[in-house]
Amino acid sequence: MCPTKGINTAGHLPTDTRLWPLKRYTEMHRRSLDDPEKFWAEEARKLDWYQTWERVLDWDPPYARWFVGGRLNASFQCADRHVKTWRKSKVAIYWEGEAGETRVLSYSTLFRAVNRFASVLKKLGVSKGDKVALYLPMVPELPVFMLACARIGAVHTVIFSGFSAQSIADRVNDIQAKVIVTADGGYRRGKIIPLKEITDEAVKLSPSVEKVIVVKRTGEKVPWTEGKDAWLSSLLDDAESLVTPEPMESNHPLYILYTSGTTGKPKGIVHSTGGYLVYNHSAYQWVFDIKEESVFWCTADVGWVTGHSSIVYAPLSHGAAIVLYEGAPDYPTLDRWWDIIEKYGVTIFYTSPTAVRMFMRSGEKWLQKHDLSSLELLGSVGEPINPEAWQWYYKHIGKEKCPIVDTWWQTETGGIMISPTPGIEAIPLKPGSATFPLPGIDASVVDTNGKELPTGQTGYLIIKKPWPGMLLDIYGNPGRYRRAYWSRYPNSYYTGDFAMRDEDGYFWLLGRADEVLNVAGHRIGTAELEDAAISHPAVAETAVASKPDEIKGEAIVLFVTLKEGELPSPTLKKEISQHLRKVIGPIATPDEIYFVESMPKTRSGKIMRRVLKAVASGQSLGDLTTLENEASVEEVKRAYEKLKGTKSTPKEA
Ligand code: WT7
């Protein structure tokens, strides 16, 4: 390994040759893979268990069950455990509303709220194993409801508040949720998002829902269904102040979170209680080097896995102080985030490359008014960070004194998998590389046959051993679970990502290898978009590709053929775009819609995605020697020329 290639992050991560070889990290990683059960049992003892496990791991591929027979409760880890100590008066959550309101919850306030919300759910008849959907803006009630569900053994599904009624209904119906919690509305750039109305529309399509709990946020008048709807505030009037936590078997699901895959239907990723918490508790310490006095801010929405693990379960299980911000990053001005960092003295700041690129583009003037000297560590997540954005983040936000942890993980992995680990040992950084796998993670880059590739070659990232944060299953669809993750490589987890290891062993994550896009750090399947687009009455056929986007990483490009009699027009383009927003949500908004005469297809009827991608991004077809049973080189070229010639934007139409 070559030390000179590391970045000099003064003080914290010196490019001091004495750092090499990475002694502590290497020793710990080796030990964790030599005897995973011993290693993870030691980590698990850092949590409080009602009952110790009988076995650390049952590995019956493709199912791993961790800490079998052990009993614990997630809300106990995140609240009760701290109120027994001085942390009862420590800040748990600094909440900042979009309009600048502030609420501060101490651990004892959090504890009390979790108990009372749990009592509300219980009184509505929610019990162990029942499913509760949470469709809420970024208000403290969201993490409190998650912990309240966990307390009574109910399984939560958080639905990102940008999703449409149809998306809510799909998820709620899949798990047969009994209760939905929503708010009268949420704020986004000063505007109100009518969450209650959207929920009502979803409830019409979701017969399993017995009760809608409404959190008051905006105070606006909302439609009301007597008998079904209830204000949280009135339910709290009768709530008990103490609810005994349910001792949950380690492999009882803690939550289900939907994510996109290669088919039209999002998959319900099921996470466990014990394995998930143990993994996140440890990973959080290794990656963020969390200290009692840290103020941790992860800017993700709680509706994504980053929010579940890095806003709620990992930080709170450590008794850390977190910041929770309700609104948009650029509201009312582009320095809102820097203002928040200064206001709360944030020490660890964790955000996405998309956000970094957005701020980079808007210039440094927004930073000048603010004192960011509290920052000690920066994090990046959700998509590859390009070296230019990395350098800007390092220089202008971290003032060249904060290491950047580029953390690679997925909804399915539950927690961070590949990342620098300042909590174990300073690792010299290379901008754009997530560096090394965490202890317990046996990551490898392989070719299509599963053969490990030599350094410098791009292949598929797989994980060769189960780890405690690993998903339990896809809800209601074990077949899909096997197919998506375990069918390509025997007994190895297939990530769906391209990766490469360099000559120093560093991992470089290179984006999705499947038909899934990553738009602004959010995963969205091409099939999901195509299914939604085709439900528009004028559309005959659709295909989605992406084009590179300077800020969002990837942008959605939709190719459409129209039904007979329909004519391309700017209005129709707008309508189709609106339709996608309505069916999925604003994250599905295409950047570009092209009306084409026909889709480029192979003789077997498969759409030639490579052709679409090249046309969408205005690039040439590239190297055609690696064509895999797509079509002949000539056919691909012909299809490319034809599509380029016929694609029309409405302006030209
Ligand atoms: C996909 C997972 C838990 C993260 C939030 C997104 C991409 C994630 C990185 C990174 C390069 C990354 C991968 C992965 N990704 N982090 N640091 N560097 N790519 O979770 O929605 O489940 O998406 O995001 O492609 O497969 P997700």
Side-chain angles (χ1 to χ4, degrees):
M1 292 201 196
C2 172
T4 52
K5 290 196 185 125
I7 260 260
N8 181 6
T9 52
H12 204 103
L13 287 182
T15 45
D16 185 332
T17 45
R18 279 170 304 178
L19 273 179
W20 297 83
L22 296 169
K23 271 220 185 75
R24 278 199 70 184
Y25 163 78
T26 311
E27 181 281 320
M28 201 163 154
H29 191 252
R30 186 174 308 129
R31 185 158 48 85
S32 72
L33 296 190
D34 284 350
D35 193 348
E37 298 195 18
K38 180 160 178 260
F39 179 84
W40 287 115
E42 267 167 40
E43 292 303 311
R45 282 191 200 100
K46 295 176 181 165
L47 298 183
D48 286 342
W49 297 78
Y50 297 106
Q51 195 177 305
T52 313
W53 48 92
E54 287 147 25
R55 290 179 306 282
V56 177
L57 172 65
D58 281 351
W59 176 220
D60 181 10
Y63 290 103
R65 297 294 178 252
W66 289 87
F67 312 112
V68 180
R71 287 186 179 271
L72 78 175
N73 183 284
S75 83
F76 188 95
Q77 304 303 318
C78 295
D80 305 41
R81 188 176 206 233
H82 310 307
V83 296
K84 295 179 175 177
T85 71
W86 66 272
R87 286 200 199 112
K88 64 179 183 289
S89 53
K90 180 180 172 177
V91 172
I93 302 177
Y94 288 109
W95 178 78
E96 168 110 352
E98 195 182 67
E101 324 88 300
T102 296
R103 282 165 71 186
V104 180
L105 278 74
S106 66
Y107 271 95
S108 60
T109 319
L110 177 70
F111 171 77
R112 186 174 155 80
V114 169
N115 274 276
R116 285 164 49 78
F117 285 30
S119 165
V120 163
L121 292 172
K122 248 183 135 164
K123 290 199 169 176
L124 291 177
V126 178
S127 58
K128 195 168 152 177
D130 286 344
K131 316 291 187 306
V132 175
L134 306 175
Y135 183 64
L136 282 165
M138 290 275 282
V139 289
E141 284 81 357
L142 176 50
V144 172
F145 261 115
M146 290 162 79
L147 297 176
C149 287
R151 195 166 192 85
I152 60 172
V155 179
H156 61 69
T157 286
V158 181
I159 302 169
F160 171 56
S161 60
F163 276 127
S164 66
Q166 184 63 53
S167 297
I168 302 172
D170 288 346
R171 288 158 174 75
V172 165
N173 290 336
D174 195 41
I175 53 172
Q176 295 291 299
K178 265 184 151 171
V179 171
I180 299 189
V181 185
T182 188
D184 51 1
Y187 290 102
R188 193 73 186 174
R189 296 205 171 80
K191 285 210 200 92
I192 289 177
I193 304 183
L195 299 175
K196 173 65 167 61
E197 279 153 55
I198 300 170
T199 304
D200 286 351
E201 246 184 88
V203 170
K204 282 190 213 142
L205 309 169
S206 312
S208 65
V209 175
E210 292 164 15
K211 210 80 197 172
V212 179
I213 303 179
V214 189
V215 173
K216 188 167 262 168
R217 171 67 190 113
T218 63
E220 295 285 300
K221 219 176 137 40
V222 289
W224 205 254
T225 311
E226 277 315 322
K228 198 166 238 182
D229 299 346
W231 288 105
L232 173 65
S233 52
S234 352
L235 296 171
L236 281 170
D237 285 343
D238 307 316
E240 314 279 338
S241 50
L242 281 178
V243 170
T244 313
E246 281 284 333
M248 305 303 292
E249 201 280 331
S250 173
N251 294 284
H252 189 280
L254 175 61
Y255 66 79
I256 298 167
L257 183 61
Y258 284 81
T259 189
S260 296
T262 50
T263 74
K265 237 170 74 96
K267 29 190 188 182
I269 305 301
V270 187
H271 277 295
S272 74
T273 304
Y276 175 81
L277 285 175
V278 168
Y279 188 71
N280 272 293
H281 189 79
S282 298
Y284 190 69
Q285 182 67 59
W286 298 331
V287 173
F288 293 109
D289 194 15
I290 192 78
K291 300 187 190 75
E292 204 63 79
E293 61 275 25
S294 304
V295 177
F296 179 83
W297 184 20
C298 165
T299 65
D301 194 284
V302 173
W304 310 110
V305 76
T306 316
H308 282 59
S309 300
S310 306
I311 297 178
V312 183
Y313 289 109
L316 300 182
S317 78
H318 278 273
I322 63 161
V323 172
L324 187 69
Y325 169 54
E326 177 186 41
D330 53 356
Y331 188 85
T333 45
L334 268 158
D335 58 346
R336 184 60 188 275
W337 278 10
W338 320 130
D339 185 51
I340 292 173
I341 290 177
E342 181 174 356
K343 181 167 172 187
Y344 299 104
V346 171
T347 61
I348 307 170
F349 179 61
Y350 189 30
T351 193
S352 68
T354 288
V356 173
R357 289 190 292 261
M358 182 186 97
F359 290 119
M360 185 168 89
R361 178 133 106 183
S362 62
E364 286 86 59
K365 69 167 192 278
W366 296 102
L367 296 164
Q368 273 141 20
K369 287 202 295 200
H370 299 284
D371 176 6
L372 303 182
S373 62
S374 59
L375 290 172
E376 292 170 3
L377 185 67
L378 304 174
S380 171
V381 62
E383 44 179 324
I385 182 161
N386 48 313
E388 193 196 355
W390 195 104
Q391 295 287 6
W392 187 87
Y393 195 24
Y394 181 67
K395 181 158 179 224
H396 294 286
I397 308 300
K399 315 288 183 204
E400 299 185 340
K401 65 180 178 53
C402 307
I404 297 178
V405 290
D406 175 1
T407 65
W408 178 88
W409 53 302
Q410 309 179 300
T411 306
E412 292 87 342
T413 70
I416 297 168
M417 301 286 277
I418 303 182
S419 166
T421 48
I424 299 172
E425 176 169 40
I427 289 178
L429 305 174
K430 297 189 190 190
S433 165
T435 75
F436 301 108
L438 264 52
I441 304 308
D442 193 1
S444 181
V445 178
V446 298
D447 66 12
T448 37
N449 301 316
K451 211 175 112 239
E452 183 146 359
L453 286 169
T455 58
Q457 287 192 24
T458 298
Y460 303 98
L461 179 70
I462 62 168
I463 314 292
K464 297 198 291 188
K465 276 193 174 58
W467 65 100
M470 189 175 106
L471 71 165
L472 287 177
D473 211 341
I474 292 180
Y475 189 77
N477 204 339
R480 193 172 176 191
Y481 170 74
R482 277 175 196 272
R483 273 195 308 279
Y485 310 113
W486 304 96
S487 62
R488 285 193 172 223
Y489 303 105
N491 301 342
S492 287
Y493 169 84
Y494 173 63
T495 63
D497 271 31
F498 285 125
M500 188 269 287
R501 290 189 83 175
D502 70 14
E503 69 276 21
D504 298 321
Y506 281 62
F507 281 78
W508 296 77
L509 285 311
L510 304 169
R512 298 292 304 192
D514 53 8
E515 282 159 13
V516 171
L517 310 184
N518 189 329
V519 179
H522 300 311
R523 200 204 289 196
I524 186 147
T526 51
E528 195 179 342
L529 290 161
E530 287 161 8
D531 280 8
I534 203 143
S535 65
H536 185 281
V539 172
E541 200 174 16
T542 67
V544 166
S546 72
K547 61 170 190 180
D549 183 278
E550 214 183 293
I551 302 222
K552 293 184 286 192
E554 282 186 287
I556 301 168
V557 179
L558 180 67
F559 292 84
V560 173
T561 62
L562 293 173
K563 284 190 184 150
E564 207 144 314
E566 300 286 350
L567 287 175
S569 73
T571 324
L572 185 54
K573 183 175 171 179
K574 231 199 222 134
E575 249 186 49
I576 295 172
S577 181
Q578 276 302 328
H579 180 74
L580 278 162
R581 292 171 68 94
K582 182 141 178 52
V583 177
I584 300 176
I587 61 164
T589 314
D591 261 50
E592 211 79 71
I593 296 179
Y594 291 130
F595 295 112
V596 297
E597 280 164 19
S598 63
M599 295 296 167
K601 284 190 190 153
T602 61
R603 266 161 298 171
S604 62
K606 259 188 84 183
I607 289 177
M608 296 185 220
R609 292 196 177 266
R610 174 201 291 251
V611 169
L612 294 179
K613 200 164 174 145
V615 172
S617 50
Q619 285 161 359
S620 65
L621 279 166
D623 179 12
L624 290 179
T625 54
T626 58
L627 270 181
E628 273 173 50
N629 63 34
E630 207 171 52
S632 72
V633 171
E634 276 318 305
E635 279 173 305
V636 171
K637 278 194 190 149
R638 230 178 298 129
Y640 174 72
E641 291 306 326
K642 180 162 180 253
L643 192 64
K644 256 198 350 189
T646 68
K647 82 173 191 201
S648 66
T649 64
K651 261 180 263 117
E652 299 155 6

